[in-house]
Amino acid sequence: MTAELIELKEEIYGNLMARYEDLVASGIDAAQALEEAKQSISSVDELLSGDGSQEADSSNQSGATSADEDMKGPSAPVLPQPETVTTKASTTVKAHKKLLLVLAGVLLVVMIGIPLIGVAMGAILFDNVTDGDISVNHDGTSLSVGKQGVQIQDNDDAIVVSPDGTVRIDGDPADDLLNMVVEAEPPNAYMGTSISDSSTLSALVSSLPLGEWSTQVDTSQERGILTLRYGSVLDAYDSEFIDAALVYDATAIFACMPEVQQIQMSLSESDETANVDRYDFSRAMLEEQYSQKLNGDVLNYDTWKALKTEHLYQGGFVEGILDAADRD
């Protein structure tokens, strides 16, 4: 994200939050304050300048306050935290969430380059609102607002999982292969597998997303090197989905097999069997990318899920690893 976009995001957030909080502080009901804040926004320029309903008390009592009066919020507004609400919790939390929806919509509009804001919710695609976070996805660009703040992502191969379980890359629905990656549980049944235990090793490889197309598992090279060959992978699978499965499989094998230091993978698709892609994955490289040792400690549900959502699903992660591992 550029410095200009960061500054723009902070300024939008500050002015919008200040407008809403001043209205609430003046005694206006939270839901009504939200509506007044929303109605006062008609363009990015107005929001950035802070123009709006500043004199909340007068507006509430006489309705005579102009929507064009200047409004300047604090320089470092605090994101509302639902768990701090001790009275009228339901109403206040809902109002905060609605406000964050407006903020997310404004930021998404800025991101995708539309100059005027139509605050109506139907104008913006909101995939999900959960108890903790708000997620917005539009043609591969994603924005999330939650306890961790505001995060914007605009990468081609980011994996987005909706609360209903729908998986997408670049806005396209996933196929069976990518769904297998997303739904895969930590392979803790194979924790500590020895490179000399050929039967357990074969079972581990077969259990992974690409295991159906495994044609060779070879440990006869130098100590610590595992060679895997995948043949005639269905050409119907999108290349990005295959890439994600390759990185996932390598991650799982390193986590389960402490002796393995390098995995040499080759893969061909069913429509071009003579065209073989080759990759060398090293343990050191993957552990550096994950910022995490790949061993039995990651083979529990929470840590494994975090490895996927915080790394594997992020835009540029899979592509970066494959670029480094590519032998062609």
Side-chain angles (χ1 to χ4, degrees):
M1 189 189 306
T2 65
E4 291 80 3
L5 183 55
I6 294 173
E7 183 178 356
L8 178 63
K9 177 190 72 176
E10 292 174 348
E11 189 169 358
I12 289 174
Y13 183 82
N15 284 313
L16 186 58
M17 285 298 301
R19 183 172 302 171
Y20 169 79
E21 290 174 350
D22 281 359
L23 288 168
V24 172
S26 71
I28 297 177
D29 176 78
Q32 181 183 349
L34 170 67
E35 291 302 318
E36 290 189 23
K38 287 164 54 179
Q39 291 171 9
S40 69
I41 302 170
S42 62
S43 72
V44 173
D45 290 339
E46 177 185 353
L47 184 61
L48 290 178
S49 67
D51 292 340
S53 177
Q54 179 180 16
E55 299 299 325
D57 290 331
S58 299
S59 175
N60 187 42
Q61 296 170 4
S62 66
T65 302
S66 168
D68 294 328
E69 293 177 354
D70 288 344
M71 182 66 194
K72 297 296 183 181
S75 59
V78 179
L79 186 68
Q81 296 295 328
E83 62 269 23
T84 65
V85 179
T86 56
T87 61
K88 298 182 180 180
S90 178
T91 299
T92 306
V93 170
K94 288 179 180 178
H96 283 161
K97 286 183 178 180
K98 290 180 181 177
L99 177 62
L100 288 173
L101 280 173
V102 176
L103 170 63
V106 171
L107 290 178
L108 184 62
V109 168
V110 173
M111 285 191 303
I112 62 179
I114 300 177
L116 298 179
I117 298 176
V119 180
M121 291 300 100
I124 300 170
L125 301 177
F126 289 95
D127 282 355
N128 174 44
V129 181
T130 67
D131 289 340
D133 301 298
I134 294 170
S135 299
V136 185
N137 297 290
H138 178 80
D139 292 341
T141 296
S142 65
L143 177 148
S144 63
V145 182
K147 294 180 180 179
Q148 303 304 315
V150 179
Q151 297 181 341
I152 298 172
Q153 189 171 67
D154 186 15
N155 294 288
D156 291 340
D157 60 349
I159 299 173
V160 177
V161 184
S162 299
D164 63 359
T166 303
V167 183
R168 293 183 175 89
I169 288 184
D170 295 344
D172 297 327
D175 53 23
D176 293 341
L177 182 59
L178 187 60
N179 281 322
M180 282 191 283
V181 172
V182 171
E183 296 168 3
E185 299 288 332
N188 46 28
Y190 300 98
M191 183 189 306
T193 296
S194 171
I195 199 169
S196 61
D197 186 347
S198 57
S199 60
T200 305
L201 172 56
S202 295
L204 167 60
V205 172
S206 297
S207 73
L208 300 175
L210 284 171
E212 180 179 347
W213 298 277
S214 173
T215 60
Q216 183 178 10
V217 179
D218 183 7
T219 60
S220 63
Q221 297 192 51
E222 295 180 40
R223 182 178 178 83
I225 297 179
L226 174 64
T227 301
L228 300 176
R229 290 185 173 84
Y230 301 101
S232 299
V233 176
L234 296 180
D235 62 284
Y237 289 142
D238 189 288
S239 61
E240 289 181 325
F241 303 165
I242 295 175
D243 292 347
L246 282 168
V247 175
Y248 176 86
D249 283 14
T251 302
I253 291 169
F254 280 131
C256 291
M257 303 184 66
E259 297 171 291
V260 174
Q261 300 302 314
Q262 183 179 358
I263 304 172
Q264 298 177 346
M265 289 187 179
S266 60
L267 181 144
S268 63
E269 297 185 41
S270 58
D271 60 336
E272 297 180 331
T273 55
N275 185 12
V276 180
D277 296 323
R278 295 177 175 83
Y279 303 96
D280 279 350
F281 297 96
S282 74
R283 175 181 294 275
M285 185 263 287
L286 259 69
E287 290 181 341
E288 180 180 0
Q289 295 300 313
Y290 282 109
S291 299
Q292 169 80 53
K293 291 291 186 182
L294 297 178
N295 52 34
D297 292 340
V298 304
L299 296 177
N300 61 79
Y301 179 82
D302 290 337
T303 306
W304 196 249
K305 181 179 179 181
L307 279 181
K308 294 197 290 183
T309 58
E310 297 175 11
H311 298 281
L312 188 67
Y313 296 173
Q314 300 303 305
F317 184 82
V318 168
E319 182 180 1
I321 288 178
L322 289 182
D323 283 347
D326 193 354
R327 284 192 289 159
D328 294 332

